[in-house]
Amino acid sequence: MEEIIKKAFYDSFDAICNDVTETTFRHLNESVYRYFFIKHLPSSIGIEDEWHRIDLMLHDSEYQYPIEFKQYDTRPLFMVNSKKIGKKGGAGSGNFKEFIESSKKLVELKNKEFFTKRGCNFKKYYFILLAGDLCQNNKNSTQRFDYWYWNDNRHIQALSKVGIRTKLIAKKEFTKSSLKVFGWVIELNNA
């Protein structure tokens, strides 16, 4: 399954990067990203999206593989007269805390009675991220997603501190004009 996920990640990442611009990236969201990913999966595996609060569940004849998706960007907010009034979203400690909490919930699925009663046999847990920063911002700013999720493996270190082991499956970045897009797939397990 790991190789299938890895290939689908690279193919969907390339498809998105070939399609977006610094203007259109803000119209991408987690559901659209998941669609691109699913589109690049082979038809031979089972695919359930939004299955009991699991973003995507892949399965074969023996095991299930829950996947959490996050797509991060900072988008401008405009009035109806096109006047910019601020921004929506953005990198920071609050966003990073949400990432850590999502990861904890993912690896704890096997302990939830709801899933054990339904015969779930989770094999591995995956977290897939796609994020975009405008390059003109300060490269080391905490207001950039790459500060939290790309540079210095801050995300890996933070997960380790809460007892979650990670394995990097795939990683890729792309720059187009002033937009830096990056993403990765990590496998998560309780330490």
Side-chain angles (χ1 to χ4, degrees), residues 6 10 27 34 36 54 60 63 71 85 99 103 109 132 137 140 142 149-150 153 157 159 177 182 185 190:
K6 187 181 200 176
Y10 285 131
H27 300 294
R34 186 177 57 221
F36 272 89
I54 298 172
D60 54 28
Y63 300 106
Q71 189 275 324
I85 59 170
F99 159 73
S103 298
L109 288 175
N137 296 346
N140 296 318
T142 59
Y149 302 101
W150 190 258
N153 289 320
Q157 296 164 18
L159 289 172
S177 298
F182 65 92
V185 179
N190 287 330

Side-chain angles (χ1 to χ4, degrees), residues 127-163:
F127 201 112
I128 301 178
L129 175 126
L130 177 73
D133 284 312
L134 293 175
C135 296
Q136 68 258 28
N137 296 346
N138 179 342
K139 191 172 187 174
N140 296 318
S141 171
T142 59
Q143 295 180 354
R144 291 176 55 91
F145 290 105
D146 64 1
Y147 173 86
W148 297 96
Y149 302 101
W150 190 258
N151 303 340
D152 304 325
N153 289 320
R154 208 168 258 99
H155 59 294
I156 302 293
Q157 296 164 18
L159 289 172
S160 177
K161 287 179 183 177
V162 297

Side-chain angles (χ1 to χ4, degrees), residues 6 13 15 22 56 68 107 138 156 158-159 170 180:
K6 187 181 200 176
F13 185 94
E22 63 184 43
L56 182 65
E68 177 74 15
V107 296
N138 179 342
I156 302 293
L159 289 172
K180 175 184 176 181

Side-chain angles (χ1 to χ4, degrees), residues 48 50-57 64-68 104-123 125:
E48 308 299 330
E50 295 292 332
W51 190 78
H52 298 286
R53 298 187 172 244
I54 298 172
D55 288 342
L56 182 65
M57 177 112 80
Q64 298 83 42
Y65 305 84
I67 300 174
E68 177 74 15
K104 285 182 192 176
K105 287 178 185 174
L106 185 64
V107 296
E108 290 299 322
L109 288 175
K110 67 179 174 264
N111 300 327
K112 301 288 183 192
E113 185 179 351
F114 175 87
F115 297 109
T116 57
K117 281 185 172 182
R118 282 157 182 77
C120 290
N121 190 13
F122 298 124
K123 176 77 171 178
Y125 307 85

Side-chain angles (χ1 to χ4, degrees), residues 16-110:
I16 287 169
C17 289
N18 287 333
D19 192 60
V20 298
T21 66
E22 63 184 43
T23 306
T24 62
F25 187 78
R26 72 185 186 103
H27 300 294
L28 186 63
N29 62 39
E30 189 176 295
S31 296
V32 173
Y33 178 39
R34 186 177 57 221
Y35 164 78
F36 272 89
F37 183 83
I38 291 170
K39 183 177 172 185
H40 289 92
L41 288 169
S43 60
S44 60
I45 61 169
I47 301 168
E48 308 299 330
D49 62 324
E50 295 292 332
W51 190 78
H52 298 286
R53 298 187 172 244
I54 298 172
D55 288 342
L56 182 65
M57 177 112 80
L58 303 182
H59 51 92
D60 54 28
S61 59
E62 273 188 88
Y63 300 106
Q64 298 83 42
Y65 305 84
I67 300 174
E68 177 74 15
F69 277 85
K70 292 292 181 198
Q71 189 275 324
Y72 294 139
D73 71 298
T74 304
R75 52 188 76 191
L77 284 177
F78 297 98
M79 295 287 290
V80 292
N81 63 3
S82 298
K83 182 179 177 185
K84 185 176 174 183
I85 59 170
K87 64 180 183 174
K88 179 184 185 317
S93 59
N95 171 274
F96 196 65
K97 183 180 176 184
E98 178 187 307
F99 159 73
I100 299 297
E101 291 304 313
S102 292
S103 298
K104 285 182 192 176
K105 287 178 185 174
L106 185 64
V107 296
E108 290 299 322
L109 288 175
K110 67 179 174 264

